[in-house]
Amino acid sequence: MAQGSTFREMLEFAGTVLILICIGGRCWASLYVGGRKNRELVTTGPYAYTRNPLYFFSALGLAGVGLTFGSLILSAFLFAFTYLVFSYVATREAITLDAIFGEAYWRYCQSVPAFFPRLSRDYDDVLGPSPVTFDSVALRRTAIDSSYFLVAILAVELLGWLQSARLVTPMFRLF
């Protein structure tokens, strides 16, 4: 897709939006699980919509990276690849959570999807108190880790500038 075309600009903007949603979503999830992972079954906040919000938001961020490069194909590939990797990791983690929390985790699994969030929930679905906690170390680590997604935006802009200056030429197209 031609650098500067309206469609490409729309893809890049959508990618930036997904990256920002990724960063915000990962920080939101960290406010609920930070410092409590494997010690308490967190079922509120983003965990009331999906059992793995950190993974879901990371997949959105990587899809956003693909879009910032102006490629729907790369975006779809990165999302699908991330989904497959995190599905495997989440399945392994579920074994541990089941061993720790037993029946409560099984009930949680019955009402909350593993990866793709449900768009609504009943207040009856929440399986006990799980207040927002503020673990500044966990939140800072999540914010820093998530901000690496922003590097993709800078890389695309730098690459575009280098191509415009004819300092580099594309070896292949990602769309």
Side-chain angles (χ1 to χ4, degrees):
M1 196 151 323
Q3 190 81 7
S5 74
T6 303
F7 186 67
R8 168 113 185 207
E9 294 296 323
M10 288 177 20
L11 288 179
E12 290 178 13
F13 177 76
T16 300
V17 169
L18 285 180
I19 289 170
L20 294 175
I21 290 170
C22 164
I23 293 168
R26 287 180 51 83
C27 289
W28 180 36
S30 181
L31 287 172
Y32 282 83
V33 79
R36 297 174 15 204
K37 186 174 182 176
N38 294 339
R39 288 189 284 137
E40 184 179 330
L41 183 59
V42 179
T43 61
T44 58
Y47 293 89
Y49 298 94
T50 173
R51 295 192 311 265
N52 296 287
L54 290 167
Y55 297 162
F56 175 74
F57 287 116
S58 293
L60 285 184
L62 283 172
V65 168
L67 290 177
T68 62
F69 279 96
S71 174
L72 290 170
I73 292 172
L74 180 61
S75 178
F77 172 78
L78 289 173
F79 185 86
F81 178 76
T82 305
Y83 170 76
L84 291 173
V85 169
F86 284 144
S87 291
Y88 172 77
V89 172
T91 300
R92 304 281 302 169
E93 289 176 344
I95 294 167
T96 301
L97 293 172
D98 183 49
I100 294 170
F101 300 110
E103 177 69 22
Y105 182 69
W106 183 83
R107 283 184 287 131
Y108 176 58
C109 290
Q110 296 302 305
S111 63
V112 177
F115 188 80
F116 292 101
R118 61 183 171 171
L119 300 179
S120 64
R121 67 177 175 87
D122 297 329
Y123 286 101
D124 296 340
D125 289 342
V126 179
L127 303 172
S130 187
V132 175
T133 60
F134 187 82
D135 182 333
S136 61
V137 173
L139 182 60
R140 185 176 332 117
R141 183 177 51 242
T142 299
I144 290 169
D145 290 348
S146 298
S147 67
Y148 291 128
F149 288 99
L150 295 173
V151 172
I153 298 168
L154 298 174
V156 167
E157 293 303 319
L158 176 62
L159 192 57
W161 181 81
L162 291 171
Q163 287 176 356
S164 296
R166 301 212 188 282
L167 296 173
V168 297
T169 57
M171 293 173 32
F172 57 89
R173 301 270 180 213
L174 295 175
F175 55 89

